[in-house]
Amino acid sequence: AAGPALLWKTEAIGNGYGSPTVTADRIYICGEIDTTGYLFAFDHQGKLIWKTDYGKEWVVSYQGSRCAPTVAGDLIYVCSGLGNVVCIEAKTGAKKWSVDMRGQLHGRFTLFGHAESSLVEGDRVFLVPGGADTNVVAMNRFTGKILWVNKGRGEIPGYNAPYLIRLPKRNILVTFSAYTMLGIDAATGELLWTHGQDNVPVAERKPGNGDTHSNTVIYEDGYIYYIAGDGNCAVKLALSNDGTAIKQVWRNKTIDNYMGGFVKRGNYLFTCVSEKKQLKCLDAGTGLATDSLKCGVGSVIWADGLLYYYNQRGEVDLVKPDPRKMEILGSFKVTAGTKEHFSHPVIHDGVLYIRHGKAFMAYNIKAK
Protein backbone atom coordinates (compact mmCIF):
# COMPACT_ATOMS: atom_id res chain seq x y z
CA ALA A 1 0.00 0.00 0.00
CA ALA A 2 2.92 2.37 0.63
CA GLY A 3 4.43 1.67 -2.78
CA PRO A 4 7.84 0.17 -3.60
CA ALA A 5 10.66 0.30 -1.06
CA LEU A 6 12.73 3.47 -1.12
CA LEU A 7 16.38 2.42 -1.49
CA TRP A 8 17.80 5.91 -1.06
CA LYS A 9 17.13 9.56 -1.77
CA THR A 10 19.02 12.84 -1.85
CA GLU A 11 17.82 16.43 -1.81
CA ALA A 12 21.19 17.90 -2.75
CA ILE A 13 20.92 18.05 -6.54
CA GLY A 14 19.39 21.52 -6.79
CA ASN A 15 16.48 22.74 -8.87
CA GLY A 16 15.62 21.10 -12.14
CA TYR A 17 13.41 19.02 -14.37
CA GLY A 18 15.93 16.94 -16.31
CA SER A 19 15.88 13.18 -15.83
CA PRO A 20 18.89 11.10 -14.75
CA THR A 21 21.03 9.09 -17.13
CA VAL A 22 22.03 5.70 -15.71
CA THR A 23 25.00 3.59 -16.84
CA ALA A 24 26.37 0.25 -15.63
CA ASP A 25 28.06 1.87 -12.63
CA ARG A 26 27.04 5.54 -12.46
CA ILE A 27 24.06 7.86 -12.34
CA TYR A 28 24.35 11.36 -13.82
CA ILE A 29 21.88 14.20 -13.25
CA CYS A 30 21.89 17.99 -13.61
CA GLY A 31 20.64 20.62 -11.17
CA GLU A 32 20.83 24.33 -10.38
CA ILE A 33 22.06 25.75 -7.05
CA ASP A 34 22.29 29.52 -6.51
CA THR A 35 22.00 30.19 -10.29
CA THR A 36 24.87 27.79 -11.16
CA GLY A 37 24.30 24.51 -13.00
CA TYR A 38 26.01 21.33 -11.78
CA LEU A 39 26.40 17.84 -13.18
CA PHE A 40 26.30 15.28 -10.36
CA ALA A 41 27.77 11.78 -10.55
CA PHE A 42 26.45 9.17 -8.08
CA ASP A 43 27.11 5.48 -7.69
CA HIS A 44 24.14 3.09 -7.67
CA GLN A 45 23.92 3.29 -3.88
CA GLY A 46 23.36 7.05 -3.99
CA LYS A 47 26.87 8.09 -2.93
CA LEU A 48 28.08 11.31 -4.56
CA ILE A 49 31.30 10.69 -6.53
CA TRP A 50 31.81 14.19 -7.93
CA LYS A 51 29.96 17.29 -9.06
CA THR A 52 31.07 19.75 -11.73
CA ASP A 53 29.66 23.19 -12.49
CA TYR A 54 28.79 23.85 -16.14
CA GLY A 55 28.08 27.57 -15.84
CA LYS A 56 25.00 29.65 -15.18
CA GLU A 57 21.61 27.91 -15.36
CA TRP A 58 18.12 29.06 -16.28
CA VAL A 59 16.36 30.88 -13.41
CA VAL A 60 13.73 32.99 -15.21
CA SER A 61 10.71 30.69 -15.64
CA TYR A 62 10.52 27.17 -14.19
CA GLN A 63 13.92 27.65 -12.58
CA GLY A 64 16.43 24.84 -12.89
CA SER A 65 18.12 22.36 -15.22
CA ARG A 66 16.37 20.96 -18.27
CA CYS A 67 18.52 18.38 -20.04
CA ALA A 68 19.30 14.77 -19.30
CA PRO A 69 23.06 14.19 -19.64
CA THR A 70 24.19 12.35 -22.78
CA VAL A 71 26.87 9.72 -22.07
CA ALA A 72 29.10 8.57 -24.93
CA GLY A 73 32.01 6.37 -23.91
CA ASP A 74 34.06 8.24 -21.33
CA LEU A 75 32.53 11.64 -22.10
CA ILE A 76 29.30 13.35 -21.00
CA TYR A 77 27.49 16.19 -22.76
CA VAL A 78 25.17 18.62 -21.00
CA CYS A 79 23.34 21.75 -22.14
CA SER A 80 22.18 24.50 -19.81
CA GLY A 81 18.92 26.36 -20.20
CA LEU A 82 21.03 29.34 -21.23
CA GLY A 83 22.51 27.35 -24.11
CA ASN A 84 25.95 26.53 -22.74
CA VAL A 85 27.07 23.11 -24.03
CA VAL A 86 29.80 21.42 -21.99
CA CYS A 87 31.78 18.20 -22.57
CA ILE A 88 32.85 16.56 -19.28
CA GLU A 89 35.01 13.54 -18.48
CA ALA A 90 32.87 10.78 -16.96
CA LYS A 91 35.57 9.43 -14.66
CA THR A 92 36.80 12.67 -13.10
CA GLY A 93 34.23 15.35 -13.81
CA ALA A 94 36.87 17.48 -15.55
CA LYS A 95 35.62 19.81 -18.28
CA LYS A 96 37.05 19.15 -21.76
CA TRP A 97 35.45 21.93 -23.80
CA SER A 98 32.39 24.16 -23.93
CA VAL A 99 30.45 26.15 -26.51
CA ASP A 100 28.09 29.04 -25.79
CA MET A 101 25.34 28.47 -28.36
CA ARG A 102 23.98 31.97 -27.88
CA GLY A 103 27.24 33.89 -27.95
CA GLN A 104 29.24 31.78 -30.38
CA LEU A 105 26.55 30.25 -32.60
CA HIS A 106 24.01 33.11 -32.74
CA GLY A 107 21.52 30.95 -30.83
CA ARG A 108 18.22 32.20 -29.44
CA PHE A 109 16.24 31.34 -26.33
CA THR A 110 12.82 29.80 -26.22
CA LEU A 111 10.37 31.15 -23.66
CA PHE A 112 11.51 28.52 -21.14
CA GLY A 113 15.16 28.16 -22.11
CA HIS A 114 17.08 25.52 -24.06
CA ALA A 115 15.78 22.08 -23.11
CA GLU A 116 17.36 19.60 -25.52
CA SER A 117 19.51 16.64 -24.59
CA SER A 118 22.43 16.37 -27.02
CA LEU A 119 22.50 13.59 -29.61
CA VAL A 120 25.84 11.85 -30.17
CA GLU A 121 26.68 9.58 -33.11
CA GLY A 122 30.21 8.48 -33.91
CA ASP A 123 32.54 11.45 -33.57
CA ARG A 124 29.71 14.00 -33.78
CA VAL A 125 27.39 15.78 -31.39
CA PHE A 126 24.28 17.46 -32.81
CA LEU A 127 22.69 20.60 -31.34
CA VAL A 128 19.93 23.11 -32.13
CA PRO A 129 21.12 26.67 -31.30
CA GLY A 130 18.07 28.07 -33.07
CA GLY A 131 19.89 30.88 -34.81
CA ALA A 132 18.53 32.40 -38.01
CA ASP A 133 21.68 31.29 -39.83
CA THR A 134 22.91 28.56 -37.47
CA ASN A 135 19.72 26.69 -36.76
CA VAL A 136 21.10 23.15 -36.38
CA VAL A 137 24.79 22.26 -36.08
CA ALA A 138 27.04 19.22 -35.94
CA MET A 139 30.28 19.47 -33.97
CA ASN A 140 33.24 17.22 -33.38
CA ARG A 141 32.39 15.73 -30.01
CA PHE A 142 36.00 15.58 -28.88
CA THR A 143 36.92 19.19 -29.68
CA GLY A 144 33.72 21.20 -30.17
CA LYS A 145 34.77 22.17 -33.70
CA ILE A 146 31.83 22.86 -36.05
CA LEU A 147 31.50 20.31 -38.87
CA TRP A 148 28.39 21.62 -40.59
CA VAL A 149 25.63 24.19 -40.15
CA ASN A 150 22.03 24.00 -41.36
CA LYS A 151 19.78 27.08 -41.53
CA GLY A 152 16.57 25.03 -41.27
CA ARG A 153 13.67 27.46 -41.35
CA GLY A 154 15.50 30.00 -39.21
CA GLU A 155 13.21 29.41 -36.23
CA ILE A 156 13.97 29.27 -32.51
CA PRO A 157 14.37 25.76 -31.00
CA GLY A 158 11.41 23.56 -30.08
CA TYR A 159 12.61 21.97 -26.77
CA ASN A 160 13.25 18.69 -28.59
CA ALA A 161 15.88 16.02 -28.09
CA PRO A 162 16.94 14.97 -31.63
CA TYR A 163 16.53 11.45 -32.97
CA LEU A 164 18.70 9.58 -35.49
CA ILE A 165 17.10 7.38 -38.17
CA ARG A 166 19.62 4.86 -39.54
CA LEU A 167 19.06 3.81 -43.15
CA PRO A 168 21.33 1.82 -45.50
CA LYS A 169 22.20 4.90 -47.58
CA ARG A 170 22.18 7.66 -44.93
CA ASN A 171 21.46 8.61 -41.34
CA ILE A 172 18.79 11.25 -40.81
CA LEU A 173 18.71 13.68 -37.90
CA VAL A 174 15.11 14.47 -36.93
CA THR A 175 14.30 17.35 -34.61
CA PHE A 176 11.92 20.28 -34.15
CA SER A 177 12.34 23.99 -34.42
CA ALA A 178 9.46 26.21 -33.27
CA TYR A 179 7.02 25.45 -36.10
CA THR A 180 8.77 22.81 -38.20
CA MET A 181 9.96 19.23 -37.93
CA LEU A 182 13.28 18.95 -39.75
CA GLY A 183 14.87 15.94 -41.48
CA ILE A 184 18.60 16.53 -42.06
CA ASP A 185 21.30 14.31 -43.56
CA ALA A 186 23.48 13.66 -40.51
CA ALA A 187 26.69 13.33 -42.56
CA THR A 188 26.39 16.41 -44.77
CA GLY A 189 23.92 18.71 -43.00
CA GLU A 190 21.64 18.83 -46.07
CA LEU A 191 17.99 19.59 -45.31
CA LEU A 192 16.07 16.68 -46.85
CA TRP A 193 12.49 17.50 -45.88
CA THR A 194 10.30 19.39 -43.40
CA HIS A 195 6.89 18.94 -41.81
CA GLY A 196 5.29 22.24 -40.82
CA GLN A 197 3.22 22.64 -37.66
CA ASP A 198 0.14 24.52 -38.82
CA ASN A 199 -1.83 24.93 -35.60
CA VAL A 200 -0.92 28.61 -35.13
CA PRO A 201 -1.31 31.14 -37.99
CA VAL A 202 1.91 32.85 -39.00
CA ALA A 203 0.67 36.25 -37.81
CA GLU A 204 0.06 34.90 -34.30
CA ARG A 205 3.39 33.11 -33.82
CA LYS A 206 5.52 34.19 -30.88
CA PRO A 207 7.53 32.41 -28.15
CA GLY A 208 5.16 30.31 -26.07
CA ASN A 209 2.43 30.11 -28.69
CA GLY A 210 2.49 26.85 -30.63
CA ASP A 211 6.25 26.20 -30.37
CA THR A 212 6.54 23.67 -27.52
CA HIS A 213 7.53 20.34 -29.06
CA SER A 214 9.30 18.32 -26.37
CA ASN A 215 8.59 14.73 -27.38
CA THR A 216 11.31 12.90 -29.32
CA VAL A 217 10.01 11.09 -32.42
CA ILE A 218 9.86 7.32 -32.88
CA TYR A 219 10.90 5.57 -36.11
CA GLU A 220 9.99 1.98 -36.93
CA ASP A 221 9.63 -0.09 -40.12
CA GLY A 222 9.61 2.85 -42.53
CA TYR A 223 7.35 5.13 -40.48
CA ILE A 224 7.97 8.18 -38.30
CA TYR A 225 5.60 8.80 -35.40
CA TYR A 226 5.53 12.09 -33.54
CA ILE A 227 3.30 13.73 -30.97
CA ALA A 228 3.42 17.51 -30.79
CA GLY A 229 0.52 18.66 -28.63
CA ASP A 230 1.36 22.30 -29.32
CA GLY A 231 1.62 21.53 -33.04
CA ASN A 232 0.03 18.94 -35.31
CA CYS A 233 -0.69 16.62 -32.36
CA ALA A 234 -0.29 12.89 -33.17
CA VAL A 235 1.07 12.18 -36.66
CA LYS A 236 2.30 9.18 -38.66
CA LEU A 237 4.58 9.78 -41.65
CA ALA A 238 5.82 7.33 -44.27
CA LEU A 239 9.53 7.78 -45.00
CA SER A 240 10.83 6.93 -48.48
CA ASN A 241 13.35 4.11 -48.75
CA ASP A 242 16.21 6.52 -49.42
CA GLY A 243 15.08 8.90 -46.66
CA THR A 244 14.62 11.92 -48.94
CA ALA A 245 10.83 12.27 -48.77
CA ILE A 246 7.93 11.92 -46.33
CA LYS A 247 4.17 11.47 -46.75
CA GLN A 248 1.54 11.90 -44.06
CA VAL A 249 -0.42 8.71 -43.29
CA TRP A 250 -2.69 9.99 -40.54
CA ARG A 251 -3.11 12.78 -38.01
CA ASN A 252 -5.10 12.75 -34.78
CA LYS A 253 -5.76 16.31 -33.59
CA THR A 254 -7.09 15.23 -30.18
CA ILE A 255 -3.72 14.01 -28.82
CA ASP A 256 -2.40 17.17 -27.14
CA ASN A 257 0.64 15.75 -25.35
CA TYR A 258 3.22 18.52 -24.90
CA MET A 259 6.10 16.85 -23.06
CA GLY A 260 5.12 13.50 -21.55
CA GLY A 261 6.84 11.32 -24.14
CA PHE A 262 5.15 8.34 -25.75
CA VAL A 263 5.74 4.62 -26.19
CA LYS A 264 5.19 2.33 -29.18
CA ARG A 265 4.77 -1.37 -28.54
CA GLY A 266 3.67 -3.61 -31.36
CA ASN A 267 0.87 -1.87 -33.23
CA TYR A 268 -0.05 0.54 -30.44
CA LEU A 269 1.04 3.94 -29.14
CA PHE A 270 0.65 4.96 -25.48
CA THR A 271 0.57 8.66 -24.64
CA CYS A 272 -1.06 11.19 -22.35
CA VAL A 273 -3.56 13.86 -23.41
CA SER A 274 -3.42 17.17 -21.58
CA GLU A 275 -6.91 18.65 -21.83
CA LYS A 276 -8.73 15.47 -20.79
CA LYS A 277 -5.97 14.41 -18.35
CA GLN A 278 -5.86 10.82 -19.56
CA LEU A 279 -3.51 8.09 -20.68
CA LYS A 280 -4.49 7.06 -24.20
CA CYS A 281 -3.82 4.04 -26.40
CA LEU A 282 -3.80 4.59 -30.17
CA ASP A 283 -3.87 2.10 -33.00
CA ALA A 284 -0.65 2.82 -34.88
CA GLY A 285 -2.23 1.75 -38.16
CA THR A 286 -5.16 4.16 -38.03
CA GLY A 287 -4.26 6.75 -35.38
CA LEU A 288 -7.60 6.17 -33.64
CA ALA A 289 -7.87 5.72 -29.88
CA THR A 290 -8.67 2.22 -28.65
CA ASP A 291 -8.87 3.01 -24.91
CA SER A 292 -8.29 5.74 -22.34
CA LEU A 293 -7.55 5.77 -18.63
CA LYS A 294 -8.25 8.66 -16.26
CA CYS A 295 -4.94 9.05 -14.47
CA GLY A 296 -3.92 12.67 -15.07
CA VAL A 297 -1.34 14.31 -17.32
CA GLY A 298 2.07 12.72 -17.10
CA SER A 299 5.07 10.99 -18.65
CA VAL A 300 5.13 7.34 -19.69
CA ILE A 301 7.84 4.69 -20.06
CA TRP A 302 7.79 0.93 -20.63
CA ALA A 303 9.52 -1.96 -18.86
CA ASP A 304 8.92 -5.72 -18.85
CA GLY A 305 5.51 -5.57 -20.47
CA LEU A 306 4.09 -2.80 -18.27
CA LEU A 307 3.72 0.97 -18.42
CA TYR A 308 5.08 3.25 -15.69
CA TYR A 309 3.17 6.52 -15.61
CA TYR A 310 4.33 9.49 -13.51
CA ASN A 311 1.63 12.15 -13.49
CA GLN A 312 1.79 15.83 -12.63
CA ARG A 313 -0.04 15.21 -9.33
CA GLY A 314 2.98 13.22 -8.19
CA GLU A 315 1.37 9.80 -8.56
CA VAL A 316 3.25 6.87 -10.08
CA ASP A 317 0.94 4.30 -11.66
CA LEU A 318 1.81 0.80 -12.82
CA VAL A 319 -0.43 0.20 -15.85
CA LYS A 320 -1.39 -2.99 -17.66
CA PRO A 321 -1.19 -1.90 -21.34
CA ASP A 322 -4.16 -3.81 -22.70
CA PRO A 323 -5.11 -1.87 -25.86
CA ARG A 324 -8.81 -2.52 -25.23
CA LYS A 325 -8.88 -2.01 -21.47
CA MET A 326 -5.88 -0.51 -19.71
CA GLU A 327 -5.80 -1.08 -15.97
CA ILE A 328 -3.92 0.46 -13.04
CA LEU A 329 -2.28 -2.40 -11.14
CA GLY A 330 -0.75 -0.27 -8.40
CA SER A 331 0.02 3.32 -7.45
CA PHE A 332 2.03 5.38 -5.00
CA LYS A 333 2.60 9.07 -4.29
CA VAL A 334 5.91 10.92 -4.51
CA THR A 335 5.99 13.09 -1.39
CA ALA A 336 9.58 14.38 -1.36
CA GLY A 337 10.59 17.43 -3.36
CA THR A 338 8.78 20.58 -4.45
CA LYS A 339 7.46 22.31 -7.57
CA GLU A 340 6.18 20.56 -10.69
CA HIS A 341 6.28 16.82 -11.36
CA PHE A 342 7.67 17.21 -14.91
CA SER A 343 10.69 14.90 -14.96
CA HIS A 344 10.45 11.59 -16.81
CA PRO A 345 11.06 8.45 -14.72
CA VAL A 346 13.94 6.10 -15.52
CA ILE A 347 14.29 2.35 -14.85
CA HIS A 348 17.60 0.49 -14.69
CA ASP A 349 18.25 -3.01 -13.35
CA GLY A 350 15.07 -3.19 -11.30
CA VAL A 351 15.39 0.31 -9.82
CA LEU A 352 12.93 3.12 -10.56
CA TYR A 353 14.48 6.60 -10.44
CA ILE A 354 12.24 9.62 -9.86
CA ARG A 355 13.32 13.26 -9.82
CA HIS A 356 11.03 15.87 -8.21
CA GLY A 357 12.77 19.24 -8.04
CA LYS A 358 15.67 18.99 -5.60
CA ALA A 359 14.68 15.48 -4.53
CA PHE A 360 16.08 12.43 -6.32
CA MET A 361 14.82 8.99 -5.30
CA ALA A 362 15.60 5.35 -6.09
CA TYR A 363 12.88 2.72 -5.56
CA ASN A 364 13.26 -1.05 -5.61
CA ILE A 365 10.79 -2.51 -8.12
CA LYS A 366 12.42 -5.90 -8.65
CA ALA A 367 10.12 -8.91 -8.53
CA LYS A 368 10.42 -10.86 -5.30
Side-chain angles (χ1 to χ4, degrees), residues 165-172 185-188 192 240-244:
I165 297 175
R166 294 175 174 86
L167 299 177
K169 291 187 177 181
R170 59 170 52 87
N171 291 337
I172 304 173
D185 188 302
T188 66
L192 300 172
S240 64
N241 291 336
D242 64 358
T244 61

Side-chain angles (χ1 to χ4, degrees), residues 206-255:
K206 60 182 181 180
N209 190 20
D211 62 356
T212 306
H213 316 304
S214 303
N215 300 318
T216 298
V217 309
I218 291 175
Y219 173 78
E220 188 174 86
D221 297 332
Y223 296 99
I224 300 170
Y225 302 85
Y226 75 82
I227 299 180
D230 208 18
N232 292 346
C233 295
V235 177
K236 179 179 181 177
L237 304 171
L239 181 66
S240 64
N241 291 336
D242 64 358
T244 61
I246 54 172
K247 181 180 179 180
Q248 183 169 301
V249 178
W250 54 252
R251 174 177 173 183
N252 187 329
K253 296 182 180 181
T254 68
I255 308 302

Side-chain angles (χ1 to χ4, degrees), residues 147-215:
L147 301 175
W148 56 250
V149 174
N150 187 287
K151 295 182 178 180
R153 291 290 179 256
E155 301 169 344
I156 63 173
Y159 305 90
N160 200 249
Y163 183 89
L164 195 72
I165 297 175
R166 294 175 174 86
L167 299 177
K169 291 187 177 181
R170 59 170 52 87
N171 291 337
I172 304 173
L173 177 76
V174 183
T175 191
F176 279 87
S177 55
Y179 298 99
T180 312
M181 187 175 78
L182 308 168
I184 300 171
D185 188 302
T188 66
E190 177 190 359
L191 183 62
L192 300 172
W193 44 260
T194 65
H195 205 243
Q197 307 300 293
D198 59 15
N199 59 316
V200 175
V202 174
E204 299 176 18
R205 294 180 178 182
K206 60 182 181 180
N209 190 20
D211 62 356
T212 306
H213 316 304
S214 303
N215 300 318

